Amino acid sequence: MNKIINSLYKNNAAIYRGFLFIITAFFIVYLLPKGGKFRYDYSPGKPWSYNNLYAPFDFATQKTKDEISEEINQIKSSVQQYFLYDVEVPEYTKNNFITAVNTLQVSDSLSESDVKKLRNKGVAVIRKIYEFGFIDEVSKGKVNKSPTIILRKSNEISNIPFSKLIQSKDILSIIVNELSVLKKDYGRDFVIKKLSEILEPNVTFDEEFSQKELNQALKDISYTKGKINKDELIIQKGDIVEGENLNKLDSLREASKSQIWTKSNYNWLVFGYTILVSLALLMLLLFLHRYRKEIFDNNSKITFIYSNILLMIFVQTLLVKYNPDYLYVIPLTILPIVLKAFFDARLGLFTHILTVLLLGFIVPNSFEFIYLHIIAGIVAVLSTSELYKRASLFISVAQITFIYMLTYFAFSIIKEGNVSSIKGIYFGLFAMNGLLSFLAVFFIYFYEKVFGLVSDVTLLELSNTNSPLLRELNEKAPGTFQHSIQVANLAEAAANEIGANSMLVRTGALYHDIGKMVNPKYFTENQITGVNPHNDLSPKDSAHIILNHVIKGIEIAKKNNLPDRIIDFIRTHHGTSLVYYFYKKEQENNPDVEVDEKKFRYQGPIPFSKETAILMICDAAEAASKSLKKPSAQSIDELIDKVVEGQKNMNQFINSDITFREIEKIKKVIKSKLMNIYHLRVEYPE
C-alpha cells in the first residue's frame, strides 16, 4: 500500500496531466454536434467531382430556403386574423350624443320637432358606423391581404369582409351624407361637429388569437416537396451543382445525418470523435514535451492552455447552436494573441491551428471557416508584438480584420463567380470580431492574476524605476541600484542580439539584487565611505551575509507580489557558484583544515532559460569590470572571457538551452558596451 501511495505521490504531476487530458477531451466531444459527417464535399456552382451518385436509401427532397420563405409570406398574407369588437363604445357614444343634443335651445329657428329629428338622425348615423365596427388606425396597419376577418363580439364570432369596417378617413363623408337630407342650419352643423368629436374606434386587432391562428398555419407547412427512391440517379459526374441537383444533394446530406446518428451506432460515432479530439490534444502535449519542456513540466500552464482551448470551443458551439449566421463574430485570434503574450508565437499558432481544426466538426462550411481562421491566426502571431505599446494591438487588430474581409471576399468570388452575391453583413461581422479582439487585453490581465503569468504589459510596469520597490532599493542601496541598471542595459542588449525576451531579462535584472537592501553596507558598491564591515567578520560569516542576499531577495519579492518569472532571476543569477573571495580567505586562515565548500556556495538553482543565463553572465561581467583599475580594451576582453569560461567550467549553463554560439554573441555585446561605458577604443597597431 505504501508503495502505491509513494508511486502516486512521485507521479502526481503526470497523473494530473492525464486527468486534465481526459476531462478536456470529454468536454470537447460532448460539445461536438450530434450528427454524422456527410461523406461528399461540394460547392454550389462547381462541377460534381465524384462518380455518378445514386440514392443509397429512400429520402424526401427538401424545399429550399427561398421556397419556404415564400410559403411563409403567403401564409402570413392570407391567414385569417381576429379583431375584437367593443360593445360598450357604441352605447357610450350614443348616450353622449343624446345628452349633447338635448342641450340645444328651442328657438324660433329650431323647434322641438327639429331637435328630435336631429337626435334621431344622429343616432341613426351612430348605429350605421358601429354596425360592423369602427377600426382604429394602429389595428388597420396590421391587417394582411385576406379579404375577410374574424370579428369577436362578446361571445359571438363572425366572418365579415374587411371592407365592412369603417375607417377614420370615411367618418366625415358618412356623417355628411347621412345628414344631407337636413336643411343647412345651426342644428345640422352642431350634429356634424358633435359626431366628429365623440365617435371613436371600437374594433382593435386581437394579437393573441391572431398569433395562435398564424402559428397553427405555420405548423402545417410541409418542408418537403418530393421523394427520391433508392438507387435513383441524383447527379452525374461533371454535372454542375446547382438548382435541382443542389437541392437533392442538400436533402441527401440532411437525411444522411438522421440515418447515421442513431442509437445503434451512437457509441461508434462518439468513439470516432474521441480518437480525433484525443489526437489533437496529444499533439499539443507532444509539442510541449519536445519543444517547451518548462511549460510541459508546469501543470498550471498546461491547465491554462487547455482551458483556453475549451473556452473557445464552448463559445463557438453556443453561437452555432443558437444563431450560426453570426459565426464569425467570435474573435478566435484572441487565443494566439494571449498565448504569444505569455509564452511565444510558435506555441500560440500551434494551439490556434489545433483549436480551429477541432471547430471544423462544429461549424458549417468547415473548410472556409478553417482557412479563414488559420490565415487570421498567422497574421495575429506575426503582427502582434510589444503589447505594452498602445498602438501595437490596434495595428494588429486592423490587419487581422482586413485579412478576414479580404479572404471572405475571395471565397465569395470563387463560390458565386461574381461580386453581386457578396453579403455585406459579413463585413460588419468581421468588424465586430475586430472590436471584440480588444478583449485580449482584459484576458491577459485576468490570466495574470489567476495563473500567475507575466505579460509584456506587466513587465513594462515593473521595469519603471519609479516603482515603490525600486525606489526603496535606490534609497537603501544606491550603489546596488546603479549596478542593477547597468546590468539591465547589458542584458537587454544581449537578449536582443540572440532573439531572447529582452523585456523579461531587463525587468529581471532590475530586481535581481533587491536582497542587498537588508545589509547594503556589506556589498562593495554601497561602501562609499571606504569602511568595509567585513574586516570585523570571519570569512564564514561574511560569506553567509553575501549568500543570504539571494534568499532575502526572494522573500522581499514574494512580499511585494512580484511574479514568479521575475523571482526566478533572483533565485538563479548566481547559480551554484562559489563566493570565491571569502572561500579562499577561509583557506588561507585555516590551511590545515579542510574548508566546507557548501558554506561558501550559492544554493542555486542554475539558470534554466536563455534569459536567466544572460543575466548571470551580465551580472558577473559588470561586477568584475569594476575591479579593473585601468580598464583597457584588452583587459576588458580578457576579463569577460575569463568570467564566462569560469561559469562554463562550473556547468552553470547546462539547463538553460543556450548555445555556445549565442554565448559568444553575448560576450561580444558585453565587451562592446563596457568599452563604451569606460570610453575606450580598440588600440590600433603602429
Side-chain angles (χ1 to χ4, degrees):
M1 186 65 181
N2 288 335
K3 289 182 179 180
I4 296 174
I5 294 173
N6 289 335
S7 177
L8 291 174
Y9 181 77
K10 289 179 181 178
N11 299 292
N12 60 57
I15 293 170
Y16 176 81
R17 282 194 294 271
F19 176 75
L20 181 65
F21 180 92
I22 293 170
I23 290 295
T24 307
F26 170 80
F27 277 111
I28 293 176
V29 171
Y30 176 78
L31 292 171
L32 292 178
K34 303 300 183 287
K37 297 291 287 183
F38 192 50
R39 67 177 66 185
Y40 302 106
D41 289 323
Y42 59 91
S43 298
K46 298 295 181 182
W48 180 254
S49 57
Y50 304 96
N51 292 327
N52 294 353
L53 178 61
Y54 296 90
F57 48 79
D58 295 343
F59 66 92
T61 53
Q62 306 290 321
K63 293 178 182 176
T64 65
K65 289 183 179 179
D66 291 339
E67 289 172 335
I68 294 172
S69 178
E70 183 180 352
E71 190 170 343
I72 289 173
N73 289 334
Q74 288 178 353
I75 290 174
K76 287 181 177 179
S77 65
S78 61
V79 68
Q80 284 198 311
Q81 296 173 299
Y82 283 80
F83 287 80
L84 187 62
Y85 184 99
D86 189 345
V87 295
E88 295 180 357
V89 172
E91 191 65 27
Y92 172 78
T93 304
K94 185 181 75 171
N95 293 336
N96 277 356
F97 174 73
I98 292 172
T99 302
V101 172
N102 289 338
T103 62
L104 286 172
Q105 295 288 332
V106 177
S107 64
D108 294 335
S109 61
L110 199 61
S111 66
E112 186 175 343
S113 62
D114 289 335
V115 172
K116 183 178 180 181
K117 192 175 182 180
L118 290 172
R119 182 170 57 244
N120 293 338
K121 202 61 180 174
V123 170
V125 172
I126 292 172
R127 284 174 183 164
K128 182 172 183 178
I129 288 174
Y130 289 117
E131 180 182 0
F132 295 101
F134 174 12
I135 187 169
D136 68 2
E137 287 299 311
V138 175
S139 298
K140 176 191 168 187
K142 296 182 179 180
V143 177
N144 60 23
K145 296 179 181 179
S146 175
T148 61
I149 64 167
I150 301 175
L151 193 62
R152 290 202 308 124
K153 188 175 182 180
S154 297
N155 294 326
E156 298 177 4
I157 294 179
S158 58
N159 280 44
I160 65 168
F162 175 72
S163 59
K164 295 278 189 181
L165 295 178
I166 304 300
Q167 302 178 32
S168 297
K169 63 184 180 63
D170 303 323
I171 291 294
L172 186 58
S173 62
I174 292 172
I175 295 172
V176 173
N177 288 338
E178 290 296 319
L179 299 180
S180 61
V181 297
L182 300 175
K183 62 180 181 180
K184 295 182 179 180
D185 58 9
Y186 168 73
R188 179 176 176 271
D189 292 341
F190 175 85
V191 171
I192 292 174
K193 180 181 178 183
K194 183 54 65 176
L195 287 174
S196 300
E197 289 176 354
I198 66 174
L199 285 170
E200 60 182 63
N202 73 321
V203 174
T204 55
F205 182 67
D206 194 332
E207 187 79 40
E208 182 181 354
F209 275 80
S210 297
Q211 190 62 45
K212 285 181 180 178
E213 187 77 13
L214 176 60
N215 291 341
Q216 186 59 46
L218 293 176
K219 281 183 181 178
D220 296 335
I221 291 178
S222 173
Y223 289 89
T224 62
K225 62 180 181 180
K227 180 183 178 183
I228 301 293
N229 296 317
K230 184 179 180 181
D231 297 328
E232 183 178 335
L233 178 65
I234 297 176
I235 190 171
Q236 291 182 333
K237 184 176 182 179
D239 284 355
I240 302 300
V241 180
E242 61 182 0
E244 194 60 29
N245 287 339
L246 176 60
N247 182 241
K248 289 178 181 179
L249 287 171
D250 289 342
S251 301
L252 176 60
R253 182 173 60 186
E254 292 302 315
S256 297
K257 290 180 181 180
S258 59
Q259 287 281 330
I260 293 173
W261 199 264
T262 59
K263 290 183 179 179
S264 60
N265 54 14
Y266 179 90
N267 293 335
W268 282 109
L269 286 169
V270 171
F271 181 64
Y273 275 139
T274 303
I275 291 175
L276 293 175
V277 171
S278 299
L279 280 174
L281 297 178
L282 182 61
M283 292 304 103
L284 179 57
L285 277 181
L286 292 176
F287 174 85
L288 293 174
H289 183 268
R290 179 70 177 83
Y291 299 106
R292 302 292 183 271
K293 195 69 170 64
E294 72 281 2
I295 299 176
F296 180 82
D297 293 333
N298 190 318
N299 284 337
S300 177
K301 292 179 179 178
I302 293 181
T303 303
F304 166 72
I305 295 171
Y306 271 21
S307 62
N308 272 275
I309 294 174
L310 194 56
L311 175 64
M312 290 298 172
I313 293 175
F314 174 71
V315 174
Q316 193 75 64
T317 304
L318 282 182
L319 189 66
V320 170
K321 181 178 180 181
Y322 291 105
N323 197 337
D325 293 337
Y326 295 95
L327 181 68
Y328 292 108
V329 167
I330 303 299
L332 294 182
T333 49
I334 283 180
L335 181 61
I337 291 173
V338 169
L339 292 182
K340 183 182 179 183
F342 290 126
F343 305 117
D344 59 83
R346 190 176 176 188
L347 175 58
L349 181 59
F350 191 87
T351 307
H352 175 70
I353 290 174
L354 288 179
T355 304
V356 172
L357 289 175
L358 290 174
L359 285 171
F361 291 113
I362 298 171
V363 300
N365 300 321
S366 56
F367 175 75
E368 179 181 330
F369 177 88
I370 290 171
Y371 187 91
L372 269 168
H373 281 295
I374 287 180
I375 292 295
I378 293 172
V379 173
V381 166
L382 293 177
S383 62
T384 307
S385 60
E386 299 178 326
L387 286 176
Y388 55 88
K389 293 182 179 179
R390 287 178 295 180
S392 178
L393 187 59
F394 282 92
I395 295 171
S396 178
V397 168
Q399 292 174 343
I400 293 167
T401 304
F402 173 74
I403 288 298
Y404 269 129
M405 292 180 176
L406 183 63
T407 310
Y408 167 72
F409 177 77
F411 263 108
S412 298
I413 293 175
I414 292 171
K415 288 194 297 184
E416 304 296 340
N418 56 65
V419 298
S420 61
S421 300
I422 293 177
K423 297 180 180 179
I425 187 175
Y426 278 95
F427 294 103
L429 295 178
F430 292 132
M432 181 63 69
N433 182 300
L435 290 175
L436 291 175
S437 296
F438 287 108
L439 288 173
V441 176
F442 165 77
F443 280 107
I444 289 170
Y445 177 79
F446 175 76
Y447 289 141
E448 283 179 336
K449 302 304 179 185
V450 174
F451 292 94
L453 300 170
V454 183
S455 69
D456 285 352
V457 178
T458 299
L459 292 176
L460 179 65
E461 293 174 355
L462 291 173
S463 63
N464 183 359
T465 53
N466 280 323
S467 65
L469 191 55
L470 291 179
R471 232 179 17 246
E472 185 182 358
L473 176 64
N474 189 22
E475 292 170 359
K476 292 183 177 180
T480 299
F481 179 75
Q482 293 301 321
H483 159 73
S484 298
I485 290 178
Q486 294 282 18
V487 173
N489 292 334
L490 292 174
E492 183 178 22
N496 285 327
E497 183 68 22
I498 67 170
N501 190 331
S502 59
M503 179 63 72
L504 176 62
V505 73
R506 176 178 180 80
T507 309
L510 289 172
Y511 289 92
H512 78 283
D513 269 344
I514 56 173
K516 292 182 179 180
M517 287 193 295
V518 178
N519 293 300
K521 297 301 181 183
Y522 287 86
F523 299 91
T524 55
E525 65 267 25
N526 299 311
Q527 295 170 359
I528 56 176
T529 61
V531 177
N532 189 345
H534 286 290
N535 295 334
D536 301 326
L537 299 175
S538 66
K540 193 177 293 184
D541 291 336
S542 294
H544 176 73
I545 292 173
I546 300 298
L547 295 172
N548 208 41
H549 89 274
V550 173
I551 298 171
K552 293 297 182 184
I554 295 170
E555 291 175 355
I556 293 170
K558 288 184 176 180
K559 183 179 178 181
N560 287 271
N561 298 315
L562 289 185
D564 289 339
R565 292 183 75 184
I566 303 303
I567 296 175
D568 288 338
F569 286 92
I570 301 172
R571 187 181 287 115
T572 62
H573 74 278
H574 284 297
T576 55
S577 59
L578 276 173
V579 183
Y580 194 74
Y581 176 82
F582 293 111
Y583 174 71
K584 279 299 187 183
K585 197 171 182 181
E586 179 70 11
Q587 283 184 330
E588 292 171 3
N589 293 345
N590 301 283
D592 300 328
V593 179
E594 185 177 352
V595 178
D596 186 1
E597 194 177 276
K598 289 182 179 179
K599 294 183 178 180
F600 294 86
R601 188 176 293 280
Y602 288 97
Q603 296 180 10
I606 59 176
F608 51 81
S609 66
K610 289 181 181 180
E611 288 77 15
T612 50
I614 289 171
L615 177 61
M616 170 179 274
I617 296 172
C618 293
D619 180 43
E622 201 282 334
S625 69
K626 296 291 176 60
S627 65
L628 295 173
K629 294 180 180 179
K630 293 183 178 181
S632 63
Q634 183 177 354
S635 63
I636 289 176
D637 193 76
E638 291 174 352
L639 176 67
I640 302 307
D641 287 339
K642 181 180 178 182
V643 168
V644 176
E645 286 304 313
Q647 291 172 335
K648 282 183 186 177
N649 294 335
M650 288 189 289
N651 297 321
Q652 297 297 298
F653 304 131
I654 58 175
N655 291 339
S656 58
D657 190 30
I658 194 169
T659 64
F660 287 145
R661 184 174 182 177
E662 288 171 333
I663 291 175
E664 290 303 314
K665 288 182 178 180
I666 293 169
K667 286 165 56 178
K668 185 177 179 181
V669 169
I670 294 173
K671 291 173 183 178
S672 174
K673 289 288 182 181
L674 288 177
M675 281 190 261
N676 287 334
I677 290 171
Y678 293 112
H679 306 291
L680 299 173
R681 292 185 180 181
V682 177
E683 296 179 6
Y684 293 96
E686 296 180 2

